[in-house]
Amino acid sequence: MDQLQVGIAGCVVFLALTLWRVPIAYAMTIVGIGGLLLVYPVEAAFKFLTTGLFSYTSNFTLAALPLFILMGSLAFFANLGRDAYDAAKAWFGRVPGGLAVATVYSSAIFGACSGSSLSTVAVFSKIAVPEMKRAGYSTRLATGVVASAGCLDALIPPSILLVFYGVLTETSIGQLLVAGVMPGILYAVIMATAISLYAWLRPGAAPRVATVDTSWTTRIQTARKLWAPAVLFLLVLGSIYAGWATPDEAAAVGVVGTLVVVFLRKEFDWQTAKRAAVESAQVSAMIFLLLGAGSIFSTFRSTTGVVSTVTSAVTSLDLPFWALMLAIVLLYLFLGAFLDAISMMVLTMPLVAPLIVDADASLVWFGVIVTMMMAIGAITPPLGLNCFVMKGALGDQAELRDIFQGALPFVGLMLFTVGILIAFPEISLWLPELMRSR
């Protein structure tokens, strides 16, 4: 067999291993090492495994990943979600679907401290869902709102997915984080507007709550409690935007700032610190394992010519840009039903990113699109990690089927948002361009 045939056979074996439920990282490692041993001498293949793999995973830019993960874990224990929800409820509690709208905006606020949608879903499953159900909201609406609002964390910095995408595509992480701000706000507004319209048309599904205190006194008092998320957001994103810190440095500042917040709120103890550190280390280890395995598998696909062959074949079709983007969106919709976000990025970026470059499109803008598609995968069955996390947090209070069905309408809203971002890339690129012009 020539190298291309080895590459194609390796991809088939990889698919078979994943269908056989072999973990993605192990499947990529097995196929990558086996394929490299077939096309290169043993010494050359293992030289990459010892030197290339180390240099790839020891990239200093990757330091931002565990730091942002730790920042999110500390924010979880600081109980910032409750303050965000109380403030949003005071401001939006009387609009149609007020509690659900408050959940959307409080998730966005909490997203400024946590880059993980799973943490946000876990927090608001216990804060917002019980209150909405007591107010007479349908279970599907209450759970669907929380599962979908958690996706805002994928866009609003500090976003772990945007950092990971930046590492894989060698795109400016600072510009990617800044690029997520406006799309995150756009999705939150679209989602909140749709909820209010639905509640207005079907008041039985989301009754108005007359007992919510929306006085200006309460609004001001609750808004004052948002100083911690505001300060953390400014420390991280403000320092990057102003050019005072790199993303790695800003992540370190964010961790220190969150530690101070936890201490000032008297939520700090050594057990909390230990739990946050252990959970962050576990998530970071999983990501680095996937990253290392992905580098082996990516090298195998590149050296055997699979990547160049696929890129050339797609380019030769001379597809209009809208058709290319439609194909990519459909690809991620399909993969999102079976793979988690990190695995999808590791598998597809070596193939998809060159197509975007050939189309003279911005990789920063495309990073926002990809992240939105990853977020959709978090609420679509059968994988839908956000929905499974919510089921674990709620226990017998909600059925998994109801959670998935409640989240399904929001998939349409997210695809609508993706369509807007594709049609108007300036929404994503406005802040990064201002950042570059400074």
Side-chain angles (χ1 to χ4, degrees):
M1 290 192 297
D2 61 20
Q3 288 192 355
L4 181 59
Q5 290 174 327
V6 172
I8 295 173
C11 292
V12 173
V13 172
F14 169 77
L15 180 61
L17 289 174
T18 54
L19 292 176
W20 199 27
R21 294 187 174 274
V22 174
I24 295 291
Y26 298 156
M28 288 191 292
T29 303
I30 292 169
V31 173
I33 293 176
L36 288 173
L37 288 173
L38 286 176
V39 298
Y40 286 127
V42 175
E43 292 183 1
F46 278 96
K47 182 178 181 181
F48 166 75
L49 294 175
T50 56
T51 58
L53 183 59
F54 174 78
S55 62
Y56 190 82
T57 54
S58 62
N59 187 338
F60 187 72
T61 306
L62 290 171
L65 275 172
L67 289 171
F68 278 139
I69 293 169
L70 179 57
M71 179 181 172
S73 296
L74 291 171
F76 176 86
F77 291 111
N79 202 23
L80 298 179
R82 168 55 68 180
D83 289 345
Y85 183 71
D86 289 341
K89 187 170 66 173
W91 284 87
F92 301 102
R94 295 291 182 90
V95 303
L99 295 182
V101 172
T103 301
V104 172
Y105 288 125
S106 56
S107 296
I109 294 170
F110 187 76
C113 313
S114 168
S116 169
S117 63
L118 300 182
S119 296
T120 302
V121 170
V123 168
F124 289 98
S125 293
K126 297 180 179 179
I127 295 175
V129 172
E131 185 162 351
M132 282 191 277
K133 292 185 69 175
R134 285 195 299 268
Y137 281 55
S138 68
T139 300
R140 291 180 181 178
L141 177 61
T143 55
V145 166
V146 173
S148 306
C151 297
L152 287 165
D153 277 21
L155 288 173
I156 297 175
S159 167
I160 295 171
L161 290 182
L162 285 174
V163 173
F164 193 76
Y165 170 88
V167 172
L168 290 177
T169 60
E170 298 182 356
T171 306
S172 169
I173 293 176
Q175 291 185 21
L176 284 167
L177 292 174
V178 172
V181 175
M182 297 304 295
I185 294 173
L186 174 66
Y187 173 53
V189 171
I190 289 174
M191 190 176 176
T193 303
I195 291 170
S196 290
L197 181 61
Y198 175 77
W200 181 67
L201 294 173
R202 296 188 60 183
R208 288 178 181 264
V209 183
T211 57
V212 175
D213 187 358
T214 58
S215 65
W216 279 102
T217 301
T218 302
R219 289 179 174 180
I220 293 172
Q221 288 176 346
T222 54
R224 286 175 177 172
K225 294 182 180 180
L226 297 181
W227 66 268
V231 168
L232 293 175
F233 183 78
L234 290 174
L235 279 175
V236 175
L237 193 66
S239 59
I240 294 174
Y241 183 81
W244 297 338
T246 64
D248 318 310
E249 295 164 345
V253 171
V255 170
V256 174
T258 311
L259 270 173
V260 172
V261 169
V262 173
F263 182 79
L264 292 177
R265 293 171 65 92
K266 299 180 180 179
E267 301 282 352
F268 181 85
D269 58 61
W270 289 112
Q271 191 63 29
T272 297
K274 179 182 177 180
R275 285 183 60 190
V278 170
E279 290 177 7
S280 301
Q282 290 172 338
V283 175
S284 299
M286 180 270 293
I287 292 176
F288 275 78
L289 176 62
L290 281 168
L291 188 62
S295 70
I296 297 172
F297 191 53
S298 178
T299 301
F300 164 68
R301 288 185 296 176
S302 298
T303 55
T304 55
V306 172
V307 173
S308 59
T309 300
V310 172
T311 302
S312 300
V314 175
T315 303
S316 65
L317 295 175
D318 198 23
L319 294 173
F321 187 67
W322 67 266
L324 174 63
M325 291 306 302
L326 177 61
I328 291 174
V329 167
L330 292 176
L331 170 66
Y332 282 122
L333 271 179
F334 173 75
L335 292 178
F338 307 101
L339 297 174
D340 63 273
I342 300 295
S343 298
M344 274 194 283
M345 282 195 183
V346 170
L347 285 173
T348 61
M349 278 306 107
L351 298 172
V352 176
L355 298 176
I356 299 301
V357 173
D358 287 342
D360 291 327
S362 168
L363 283 177
V364 173
W365 161 81
F366 185 65
V368 175
I369 302 297
V370 168
T371 302
M372 279 291 295
M373 296 309 302
M374 302 294 112
I376 291 174
I379 58 173
T380 51
L383 188 59
L385 292 179
N386 282 14
C387 299
F388 280 99
V389 168
M390 174 173 286
K391 174 60 179 174
L394 293 177
D396 295 334
Q397 298 180 54
E399 296 296 329
L400 185 61
R401 180 181 62 183
D402 290 331
I403 298 173
F404 273 118
Q405 290 179 347
L408 190 60
F410 295 99
V411 172
L413 289 179
M414 295 179 75
L415 288 173
F416 175 67
T417 306
V418 169
I420 293 176
L421 296 175
I422 292 175
F424 303 99
E426 299 84 3
I427 297 173
S428 303
L429 297 177
W430 176 56
L431 285 178
E433 287 175 356
L434 286 179
M435 180 180 171
R436 283 196 297 265
S437 64
R438 291 178 61 85

